[in-house]
Amino acid sequence: MRLQVLGTAAGGGVPQWNCACPGCSGARAHPGRRRRHASLAVQLDDGCYVVNATPDIADQIEACAWLRPGPGPRESPLKGVILTDAELDHTIGLLRLREADELEVRCTPVVRQALRPFADILRPYLRLSWADADLIPISAKRPRYAGSPDAPDWVSALRLIGGAVVYAPAMGVWPDELDEAECAIIDGTFWDDEEPRRTGISEKTATQMGHLPIEATMERLSRLPGRRLYTHLNNTNPLVDPAAEQHKVLAELGIEVAADGMVIDL
């Protein structure tokens, strides 16, 4: 199985189009700091999938050599999309894939229900099918647009290779299954719990927004075997600046910050 990180940013990307915070301004001044929305390319036994369909999906596919189309004019190795939640930042890219002849979407039933409007829009363009994935419920936080009732599996972590790899870009609780992972790629949206309120982006803490902050998870993450990485960085997170002291803190714990384009060998 092959893995490639297609993006590592939280909603809006880095820089965010309507923001001039230090993280976004730094990314505009230094293009190497830019981050696309968090996503992952995986090659499974039955085909290639993208984990979460972000607004950047077309550029992300182009950036992954083994996802590019060919040799025929409409031949693509991409079989489908695996969704860890129904947030717009992780699903709006489905509409960008309308040029496909057929597409499989793997997700939980509640996410599928929320995406019925997307399915209706796409029906005249392609054959859309739905399937389950090896997902671990980790949060009941539903998207603001969704009118469906509360459910424990609005947000999930994806298990690959029988749990050897766990991908959880948004994480409201720490699942016990994560402790057995040989490669853990988890929620690094905020560095500390007060970051959203301190930076003025929300009146809620990180935890109240459905994201365990890095300060609350890094010690436990450091005790896991194998590779340990943070992804889904918000533009307010000091880690978007490569010179931030927080990088040294994580490095001393043996933890990496995922980078766009990173290939993970298993």
Side-chain angles (χ1 to χ4, degrees):
M1 187 183 79
R2 289 192 288 186
L3 291 178
Q4 182 167 323
V5 177
L6 300 180
T8 55
V14 180
Q16 187 169 303
W17 70 272
N18 64 338
C19 184
C21 72
C24 290
S25 298
R28 290 190 181 96
H30 305 280
R33 299 185 188 180
R34 290 175 175 263
R35 293 175 181 266
R36 291 172 176 155
H37 289 83
S39 181
L40 192 70
V42 299
Q43 187 178 46
L44 305 178
D45 292 339
D46 61 342
C48 297
Y49 290 81
V50 168
V51 185
N52 293 330
T54 81
D56 303 315
I57 193 165
D59 291 334
Q60 289 172 325
I61 289 172
E62 286 297 314
C64 182
W66 46 275
L67 282 183
R68 294 174 191 157
R74 290 180 63 86
E75 294 181 16
S76 171
L78 183 66
K79 181 176 180 179
V81 176
I82 303 170
L83 301 175
T84 60
D85 56 61
E87 293 289 349
L88 289 177
D89 297 311
H90 291 165
T91 59
I92 203 167
L94 289 171
L95 300 178
R96 182 64 180 83
L97 296 176
R98 66 179 178 83
E99 295 90 355
D101 293 324
E102 56 184 326
L103 190 71
E104 180 185 274
V105 179
R106 298 184 178 184
C107 60
T108 61
V110 69
V111 169
R112 176 181 178 179
Q113 177 68 18
L115 294 176
R116 286 185 63 185
F118 280 25
D120 292 339
I121 292 171
L122 289 169
R123 188 169 293 113
Y125 298 93
L126 55 80
R127 293 186 299 276
L128 194 64
S129 61
W130 302 85
D132 296 328
D134 191 359
L135 296 166
I136 311 163
I138 51 176
S139 175
K141 180 193 174 187
R142 67 183 181 189
R144 279 183 277 179
Y145 74 84
S148 303
D150 292 338
D153 54 354
W154 269 114
V155 182
S156 302
L158 173 64
R159 291 194 298 188
L160 299 166
I161 322 178
V165 178
V166 175
Y167 181 67
M171 196 164 74
V173 297
W174 182 288
D176 291 338
E177 292 90 341
L178 189 57
D179 293 324
E180 307 300 321
E182 298 173 17
C183 177
I185 310 169
I186 72 166
D187 189 344
T189 308
F190 300 111
W191 178 262
D192 63 84
D193 206 32
E194 287 296 321
E195 182 182 318
R197 296 202 290 205
R198 185 175 62 253
T199 57
I201 67 167
S202 176
E203 296 180 354
K204 298 180 179 180
T205 64
T207 304
Q208 290 170 341
M209 293 178 68
H211 298 282
L212 291 178
I214 290 174
E215 282 191 343
T217 61
M218 61 184 181
E219 291 292 342
R220 188 170 181 179
L221 184 62
S222 71
R223 295 193 290 270
L224 269 58
R227 295 190 71 172
R228 297 144 294 175
L229 307 97
Y230 281 113
T231 190
H232 201 266
L233 275 60
N234 199 58
N235 56 334
T236 57
N237 192 320
L239 291 173
V240 301
D241 181 352
E245 288 294 317
Q246 287 83 352
H247 285 280
K248 295 180 182 179
V249 174
L250 294 182
E252 290 174 356
L253 293 171
I255 298 172
E256 303 173 72
V257 177
D260 291 26
M262 174 184 286
V263 174
I264 298 178
D265 296 315
L266 302 171

